Amino acid sequence: MSQRKFISKEELCMMWRYLFYTFSIAWGTEFLLIMLYRLNLLSENITLFLYFTAIGFGAGMAPAYAAFIVQRKQTGIKLKAFCKQIFHTSNMRRSIIFLLLFAAIQFAACIVQESYLGNPWYLFILFISMMIWGGGLEEIGWRGVFQPLLEKRFSFLAAAFIEGVIWGVWHLPLWFIPNSTQGDMNFIAFTLYCIILGLTLAAAYRLTKCIWVTILIHAWGNTVLGGMYTLTSLNNYPSVKTLVVYALQTAAIMLILLIDKKRRKFMLK
């Protein structure tokens, strides 16, 4: 029989507080930007500056802020210790292996569907460093706090699906901000992508317990999709090809988890 899942009242409150703070900070920042754009209260250059500043330091960092707030309230953690846990790893070799493996899976899923933009390959280095800030640091909250709490109540796959849907909805205000990357995307396609990427990141965290691994995989995913390759799979309603690719990606991830589980059981014998 499968082990019954249980989440304590304190953990449940922590999960809801996390969602409250990460949505409040992100959506509050984005709605302010929407108002500035719609009412033309500032010059175009100042509004553009505020866009990158607010998205980068406000909405984009909301999951990290929320993670610190709820952990501070729950455990009294200090900022230094909070930052230290982001870089923690108990097995560096294992972490790097799974980092490279899941990065390869994400890359393969991208190149099968998209076209290379023609940018010099060395720009990968520039783009990935930018995308650590432009998306990667979200993992401090989504994978570092929210996903583990969900897994206390639901199975891994169900938790990853729920997290992916919520993560997609969390991005929703970006569709109402002029000139945002998401503005040309199909919301259903984007949410589906969030579910699959969320599953990939959840598996990486489950196998390594390293937040920094998920940060780098997230940044890598943003770099190859949109930075180095086209966004066709997100700009249109999900095609059959996209659904097949996502199904294969899901199967590969679940197979990796199964193999690792069996390997661990074998080593304990």
Side-chain angles (χ1 to χ4, degrees), residues 91-127:
N91 189 324
M92 181 62 73
R93 180 175 177 271
R94 178 181 173 86
S95 296
I96 292 176
I97 288 173
F98 282 116
L99 167 63
L100 296 176
L101 178 59
F102 284 108
I105 291 174
Q106 196 64 28
F107 183 62
C110 174
I111 63 174
V112 167
Q113 303 181 78
E114 307 294 342
S115 301
Y116 182 51
L117 290 171
N119 294 321
W121 285 87
Y122 60 78
L123 286 183
F124 265 116
I125 301 173
L126 173 62
F127 285 149

Side-chain angles (χ1 to χ4, degrees), residues 5 22 25-26 29 44-45 85 108 115 124 137-138 141 160 194 216 220 229-230 243 253:
K5 296 286 184 175
T22 195
I25 296 170
T29 302
E44 184 177 349
N45 289 336
Q85 73 180 9
S115 301
F124 265 116
L137 294 179
E138 294 175 18
C194 285
L216 290 178
W220 170 255
Y229 286 81
T230 56
L243 295 176
I253 290 167

Side-chain angles (χ1 to χ4, degrees), residues 8-263:
S8 68
K9 183 178 179 180
E10 292 76 16
E11 290 169 333
L12 187 61
C13 288
M14 183 179 181
M15 185 172 68
W16 283 110
R17 279 198 299 267
Y18 168 79
L19 288 176
F20 172 77
Y21 286 118
T22 195
F23 271 85
S24 296
I25 296 170
W27 282 25
T29 302
E30 289 158 346
F31 282 137
L32 177 61
L33 279 174
I34 292 170
M35 292 296 294
L36 290 174
Y37 271 109
R38 300 301 180 188
L39 298 177
N40 294 316
L41 296 177
L42 300 173
S43 68
E44 184 177 349
N45 289 336
I46 293 177
T47 306
L48 189 63
F49 172 76
L50 285 176
Y51 169 79
F52 287 107
T53 303
I55 294 298
F57 289 93
M61 288 294 293
Y65 298 147
F68 178 68
I69 292 170
V70 299
Q71 288 189 342
R72 173 78 171 175
K73 185 175 181 64
Q74 190 80 5
T75 65
I77 193 172
K78 303 294 184 182
L79 182 60
K80 183 178 180 180
F82 176 77
C83 294
K84 187 177 180 180
Q85 73 180 9
I86 297 171
F87 299 99
H88 170 76
T89 181
S90 58
N91 189 324
M92 181 62 73
R93 180 175 177 271
R94 178 181 173 86
S95 296
I96 292 176
I97 288 173
F98 282 116
L99 167 63
L100 296 176
L101 178 59
F102 284 108
I105 291 174
Q106 196 64 28
F107 183 62
C110 174
I111 63 174
V112 167
Q113 303 181 78
E114 307 294 342
S115 301
Y116 182 51
L117 290 171
N119 294 321
W121 285 87
Y122 60 78
L123 286 183
F124 265 116
I125 301 173
L126 173 62
F127 285 149
I128 199 169
S129 60
M130 292 171 58
M131 291 306 172
I132 288 175
W133 189 265
L137 294 179
E138 294 175 18
E139 298 306 308
I140 297 171
W142 292 116
R143 247 54 61 178
V145 173
F146 189 60
Q147 177 77 25
L149 288 173
L150 274 179
E151 288 184 40
K152 289 180 176 290
R153 176 63 181 83
F154 302 99
S155 68
F156 169 77
L157 203 56
F161 175 80
I162 293 169
E163 188 280 334
V165 172
I166 294 173
W167 190 25
V169 173
W170 178 77
H171 287 86
L172 185 58
L174 294 174
W175 270 259
F176 300 94
I177 299 177
N179 304 317
S180 70
T181 304
Q182 283 78 7
D184 294 325
M185 293 182 186
N186 179 285
F187 182 70
I188 294 177
F190 179 82
T191 303
L192 181 58
Y193 173 75
C194 285
I195 293 171
I196 301 303
L197 178 58
L199 173 65
T200 305
L201 295 166
Y205 183 74
R206 186 182 182 92
L207 291 164
T208 65
K209 300 301 180 185
C210 294
I211 297 175
W212 63 266
V213 168
T214 64
I215 290 173
L216 290 178
I217 295 173
H218 188 152
W220 170 255
N222 286 1
T223 296
V224 295
L225 186 60
M228 303 300 289
Y229 286 81
T230 56
L231 288 164
T232 305
S233 60
L234 298 185
N235 290 339
N236 302 299
Y237 193 81
S239 65
V240 173
K241 182 178 182 180
T242 295
L243 295 176
V244 170
V245 169
Y246 286 166
L248 291 174
Q249 185 174 351
T250 300
I253 290 167
M254 298 308 293
L255 179 61
I256 291 169
L257 289 171
L258 179 61
I259 292 172
D260 184 74
K261 183 179 181 179
K262 289 186 175 182
R263 185 188 67 85

